Amino acid sequence: MTNNNGECRERRFVSHGGDVWGFCRKYNIPLTEALDFSGPINHLGPSQKAIEAVEKNAKLIKFYPDPNPVELCKSIAEYVNQPDVNADNIILGNGSIELIYMITEIFSKTNFKAVVPVPSFTEYEKAALRLGGQTIYVQLQPDFSMENEKIKKAITPDTKIVSICNPHSPSGKLYLKDEVLDLVEYCQKKDVIFSIDENYIEFTDREQTETLAGEVNKYENLFVIRSVTKFYGMPGIRFGYGVAAKSLISKLLDVRQPWSINSLAGSVTLAAFSDKEFIENTKRTIVQERIRFAEQLGEIPGLQVFPSDTNFLLVKITNGKITSTKIKEETAKLGMLIRDCCTFVGLDNTYFRVTVRSDKDNQKLVNAIRKLMTT
C-alpha cells in the first residue's frame, strides 16, 4: 500500500473515491467543472422522477420520519423481486454505510474477529475495529476470484462475521451465486454472519440470477446490503436497505439508531425505482461506454484493464515507469479525479480505478493517461 519512495502516504483510513468537494477545494476548481472518475456513481443520475419527488415532497421535512415505514419496506421488497421476500425481511439504513456498521453492532459486547477477503471496501474493517474487533484478511487471487477453502480456513471459533461485496470492489468482478452460497452455508454451520454488499448488482444484467436476496429465509445468517447511491446516482440522499431473515432483522432493530432515515429519502427512492426508462437507459449506456472505455485504456502500452460488470474499471500499471499516485496527481491538475488504489489492503501503487462516464469525458482522461504513460 506504500511504495519504497514514500508515495501513497495515505493509509486505508482515508476518504473514499468521490471526494469531489475536497478535490475542488484543493485545486481551486469549480464543482461543476470537475470530472470525477474516482467515485463509482452513475454519471447519468439521478432520475428526473427522483428530482421531481424531492420537490413534490419537500414539505415532509416538517415531520419526524416514519419510525415504522411498513409501506416503504413493502415496496422495496417488491422491487427486490425475489421469492418469499416481503416487508418483514427489509431494514432501512442511512446509506449502506449505516447497515455495514449496524450488522457489527450486534457483536458489540463480545471479542470477535471479522474475515474480509481483500482488496475490498475499507468500511468492513473499520466497522469491526470500531467495536474492538480484529480483522483477518484473506488475499484474493490475482484476478480477484475467491478461494473458498482459503476463506473457510480463516474462520475460527472467534469469527463472528465474513464480509464481501458482489460485484467486487475495486475490480468489478461478479461472483456467481453458487460459489458465494458455498461460503454462506459454511458460515451458517459455524454460526457466523455472512454480510454481502450488493451495491453494484444493478449494473449487471445478471442481477436477478446472481443476487442472494432471495436466499435470506433459507439462511438466517445471511445479510444482503444495497443502496441507491451507485446505480441510481443519489449519494446525497443517503438511503440503503438490508435484506435478511426476520430473526436477524429483529436483532438489527435492537441496535438501530432512531430516525436515521430522512423524510424525503423513501419517496425519492420509490420514484427512482419506478423510472423504468431511466433504469433501461442506464444499463444500456453503461455497458456501451464501459466496453469502449476499456478498449481505449487497454490500447495504452503498460496498462492492464480488468473485466468488469459494473460502472468502473480497475487498471494495473505493468511497465513500472509511473505510479498510480503520480497519475492521480497529474490528472488532477487537468481537473480530473481518479481513484488511487494504493490505499486498498492487498493492492499497491500500480493500481488505479476509473468510473465510466460519457465518451467525451472518458476520451479526455484516456488522452491524458496515454500522454503520461508514453513520456
Side-chain angles (χ1 to χ4, degrees):
M1 298 188 318
T2 307
N3 69 13
N4 295 330
N5 297 322
E7 287 189 342
C8 195
R9 290 182 295 273
E10 299 171 286
R11 302 298 289 179
R12 58 186 176 275
F13 300 121
V14 296
S15 59
H16 307 290
D19 183 19
V20 67
W21 295 89
F23 172 72
C24 291
R25 192 176 296 119
K26 179 178 179 179
Y27 292 95
N28 195 29
I29 299 172
L31 190 66
T32 55
E33 294 181 14
L35 292 182
D36 185 10
F37 290 89
S38 69
I41 311 299
N42 183 358
H43 76 283
L44 298 173
S47 155
Q48 183 59 37
K49 287 187 177 181
I51 296 174
E52 293 170 358
V54 173
E55 300 169 348
K56 181 179 178 181
N57 295 282
K59 292 183 178 180
L60 289 177
I61 63 174
K62 70 178 181 179
F63 300 107
Y64 274 108
D66 185 351
N68 184 30
V70 178
E71 296 83 5
L72 176 57
C73 289
K74 180 181 179 181
S75 296
I76 291 174
E78 292 173 353
Y79 169 78
V80 171
N81 191 30
Q82 290 291 309
D84 301 321
V85 172
N86 55 51
D88 292 334
N89 298 116
I90 304 296
I91 188 167
L92 308 180
N94 189 256
S96 60
I97 289 293
E98 184 186 14
L99 297 164
I100 290 169
Y101 278 72
M102 192 188 302
I103 192 64
T104 60
E105 287 283 348
I106 63 179
F107 312 124
S108 60
K109 297 180 180 180
T110 64
N111 293 319
F112 70 98
K113 293 180 180 178
V115 172
V116 180
V118 291
S120 193
F121 188 42
T122 58
E123 294 296 338
Y124 308 145
E125 176 190 15
K126 291 168 69 175
L129 293 177
R130 177 174 172 267
L131 296 173
Q134 179 185 355
T135 305
I136 305 300
Y137 303 121
V138 180
Q139 184 68 46
L140 295 170
Q141 291 282 74
D143 67 349
F144 304 101
S145 59
M146 294 188 297
E147 290 182 90
N148 283 15
E149 295 307 311
K150 191 175 180 181
I151 295 172
K152 291 175 183 178
K153 288 180 180 179
I155 296 173
T156 67
D158 295 328
T159 303
K160 295 299 181 183
I161 186 170
V162 174
S163 298
I164 74 166
C165 42
N166 191 35
H168 175 253
S169 174
S171 74
K173 185 181 184 66
L174 179 67
Y175 299 125
L176 300 181
K177 183 176 181 178
D178 287 346
E179 66 176 313
V180 181
L181 281 179
D182 175 59
L183 291 173
V184 176
E185 290 177 353
Y186 184 84
C187 287
Q188 181 172 247
K189 294 175 183 177
K190 299 293 182 178
D191 194 26
V192 173
I193 293 294
F194 191 91
S195 177
I196 181 166
D197 181 343
E198 293 188 346
N199 260 300
Y200 301 100
I201 196 83
E202 285 138 325
F203 284 109
T204 174
D205 58 3
R206 291 180 282 177
E207 172 190 355
Q208 291 301 311
T209 60
E210 305 307 330
T211 179
L212 264 61
E215 305 295 329
V216 296
N217 289 313
K218 182 178 179 182
Y219 302 100
E220 295 189 359
N221 66 320
L222 176 59
F223 188 45
V224 180
I225 299 174
R226 293 188 181 183
S227 78
V228 299
T229 296
K230 307 302 194 302
F231 184 85
Y232 286 98
M234 300 193 295
I237 205 69
R238 307 310 307 145
F239 187 84
Y241 59 95
V243 189
K246 296 177 184 179
S247 58
L248 184 52
I249 294 291
S250 179
K251 293 178 182 179
L252 291 168
L253 289 173
D254 288 340
V255 299
R256 183 174 182 266
Q257 295 292 320
W259 294 314
S260 65
I261 308 300
N262 70 72
S263 298
L264 291 175
S267 301
V268 175
T269 294
L270 294 186
F273 285 174
S274 71
D275 195 340
K276 304 304 180 184
E277 183 178 348
F278 170 85
I279 293 171
E280 293 174 3
N281 182 54
T282 290
K283 288 179 178 290
R284 180 175 59 254
T285 301
I286 294 299
V287 169
Q288 292 174 347
E289 297 302 338
R290 182 180 67 220
I291 293 173
R292 183 183 295 127
F293 198 16
E295 289 176 347
Q296 292 171 340
L297 287 169
E299 291 171 353
I300 300 175
L303 294 185
Q304 175 190 354
V305 183
F306 290 89
S308 173
D309 272 80
T310 65
N311 67 327
F312 57 83
L313 297 168
L314 181 67
V315 184
K316 179 174 176 58
I317 304 166
T318 59
N319 64 8
K321 294 181 178 180
I322 193 171
T323 67
S324 56
T325 305
K326 183 64 174 179
I327 291 178
K328 177 184 177 181
E329 292 173 350
E330 294 302 317
T331 54
K333 296 174 183 178
L334 301 174
M336 295 176 285
L337 177 61
I338 68 168
R339 179 67 158 95
D340 182 358
C341 291
C342 67
T343 54
F344 281 93
V345 176
L347 296 183
D348 56 25
N349 62 4
T350 63
Y351 291 88
F352 64 91
R353 189 187 68 192
V354 290
T355 300
V356 177
R357 295 179 58 91
S358 69
D359 181 52
K360 179 181 178 181
D361 292 347
N362 296 341
Q363 188 63 60
K364 183 176 180 180
L365 181 64
V366 168
N367 291 340
I369 293 176
R370 179 183 291 111
K371 184 177 181 179
L372 289 169
M373 294 293 294
T374 55
T375 55

